[in-house]
Every structure is written in structure tokens, then in C-alpha cells.
Amino acid sequence: MIGSGVVPASLRIGTGPTAAVLHAIRVHGPVTRDQIVAAVDLSPATVNRQVNALLDARLVTERADLVDPGAIGRPKLPLTIDRDHFCVVGMHVGARRTVLVIADLRGRTLYSHAVRTTDITDLCAQLRVLANRFSGRRVLWGGVAIGGAVDTESGVVDHPILGWRRQPLGDELTAALDVPVSVSEHVQAMAAAELILSGATARGPSGLFFYARETVGMAMTFSGQVYQPARGAGTIAGLTVVPGALADTPVAPLQAVIGTQSLHDAAERLGIEPGANRLADERARILGQSVAAMRDVVNPDEIVVAGDAFAAHPQGLAPVQAAFDAATLIERPLEIVPTCFGIHVPEAAAVAVALSAVYVDPLAVV
């Protein structure tokens, strides 16, 4: 049993026997015990013990309604995640708006809405009110995804855009919810959502996740885990790029030429519309070259991107891919793929943080 308090987010796929069985049910379900044995490297006896423990904890449920009525012999009851007994709550804190979300243990959003970003006391109170609306479920965990600097041990955050300095977000939220809480840097949380919530059954050993909207960020995944440096997330905001029409200097930091304001400034300087193809092409080129630069350093097995800066081009990711292909020095072809969560990636990030402890050590959480 884990008490209330701030707990660092694991942001990984659980590897213990119980976590492995829960993962198999979550990804492959509805699934029988025999099918779980085939999916995990565990004996039938071990799988049976873990399934029974998960059933007793009401984390999974047997679905007699899914048994094939024409089956011969003793029916084998399919197992699924119990979506009705528990829930998690989370929020993604943005510079202008914050998304509040309630989700079941499968990661399915039960309810979400966006509010204006205010102060941490008000945001925590709003999330508590939302959680109280789901009083028929037991809230297991709270999760926060936020930009800026995050101390995952204490849940203390710095957010320069909001003017937050040493704000005790984790303590405020755990006091409001009276459940354990985890706080994570938002791009790392988005990468975790892609890793543990997407339902993908096959992932490369390593990956890069890029986010670009008003800010830019990158996270790395290795062997089913998001890399979380001991001293906090790094930044690619200062990566030197050739801005072309987006600035009147020969080089500029990536952060300075990605956001909406940079498009408006360039459009005003050039006497064109902010949505002009010329500016969209320049931004796609810069993004493709930036992703290629980091790919050449890390050489990942996959690259996933998210954020309006990647999605806004009229031709989708094709111009970014073309710039990436032209710039990378590694001959192996690699397709840049968009996040499977689309515009809902911020809420998926918050849910991933809230569910990370459940997926790593489910019985201890319950």
C-alpha cells in the first residue's frame, strides 16, 4: 500500500510478474489465461497467481459475456482491465490553458476539459472538484505534466513563462486529492504516453519524441522506459538553425523561430500573411533538419513527433520528412510518424504520468 505524497513518475513499462500480466491483459485483452502465458515469459502457475491477485484487487475482471457460445469443452473466461472500479486524475499545465482529465485504468479518457491556467492552488482545487464528480470510483493516483523545470522527487516546479518559481505543485495536488501524485516534464510525459498508452505491441529498443508548438522539446526512450536525467530534462531550444525567411539573421536558436509569434513577426517583416506557404515551408525545413541532427547523434529505431508546428503544414509531415531525409547523414531510411494521440496528446501525457505507478507495481498501488 502506497500512502499519499509525491512519488517520482516511473514512465516505463513494468517488468515484474504482476505488471507483465497486467500489461498483457491491457494490450491484448480480452485475453484468456492461456493466451497470457503465450504472451509473457512466465509459467502457467505464475500467470494464474498474478491473475487471481489482480482479480482480487479489482484491477482486472472476467468477462463471461465474451465467451463463444459455440465453444467446445470448459469455457475459458476472457480477461480485461476493470474499467469501472478505479480511476486516475491528471492535468497538463500549459502557458495559456490547462487540461484537466479523468481516465480509467485502460487509459481511456472518461472526461476532460480545458481551463485557463491560473495559479496552482486554483488549478488543484478545480481538479479536486472534477474528481469528486466521479465519487463512484476510487481515485488511485494524480498526475501532472508541465513544461519548465520539474523536481520529480518533490513535485516542485519552475515555469518561466508563467512566472512560477519553486512552486510546490506536487504537495498542493496531493493535499487537494489525498492520493499519491507524480509530476513530470511534459515532453517526457508525452513520450511515456506513446510508450505505455498507445497499445502498440512492438516498439523499437530506442526512440526519440519531439514536440513543437509554442515551445520545443525532445525526450528519449530506451528499452521500454523514458530516459529521465537525474538533474531534470534537457532542452533543444537553443539548437542552432538556419532560419531563412523566419528571421533576419543568418542563424538563430530553434525556439526563436518555431512559435506563432515568430510567424507573425516574419510575415509582418516580409509583408505576407502568417499562413503563407513560404513560412510554412521554412518551418518544416527547420524542423526536419533539427530532427535529423538529433537522429544522427542518437540513431534511434523510431521517431515520433507532436505539436501544431509539425501538424500545421498544408501537406502534413511530408515537407518535414523531405527535409529530414536530405539532412540526415545516416543512410538507413527512417519514417517520422505523428503521435497516435493527435491533438489530445497533452491529456494523454497527464494520464500517462498518473498511470505510470499503477502499471509498474499495480498491487502496491491498490
Side-chain angles (χ1 to χ4, degrees), residues 165-185:
R165 173 69 179 165
R166 304 300 297 167
Q167 292 291 299
L169 179 52
D171 284 343
E172 289 261 4
L173 188 56
T174 196
L177 298 174
D178 195 28
V179 297
V181 165
S182 297
V183 185
S184 176
E185 192 277 333

Side-chain angles (χ1 to χ4, degrees), residues 276-357:
N277 286 342
R278 179 183 178 186
L279 299 182
D281 289 343
E282 289 282 29
R283 186 163 68 173
R285 174 187 60 79
I286 292 168
L287 287 171
Q289 292 174 347
S290 299
V291 174
M294 300 312 300
R295 182 268 178 111
D296 290 353
V297 172
V298 180
N299 194 17
D301 297 289
E302 64 176 4
I303 294 175
V304 180
V305 299
D308 289 351
F310 282 107
H313 197 286
Q315 297 177 36
L317 278 177
V320 177
Q321 182 74 56
F324 170 88
D325 292 340
T328 182
L329 300 179
I330 297 176
E331 293 184 0
R332 175 176 63 91
L334 185 60
E335 181 184 4
I336 299 172
V337 298
T339 173
C340 64
F341 298 103
I343 62 173
H344 300 294
V345 68
E347 71 184 50
V351 171
V353 176
L355 280 173
S356 61

Side-chain angles (χ1 to χ4, degrees), residues 184-201:
S184 176
E185 192 277 333
H186 72 148
V187 180
Q188 291 179 350
M190 292 176 189
E194 206 71 32
L195 188 68
I196 65 178
L197 294 183
S198 65
T201 57

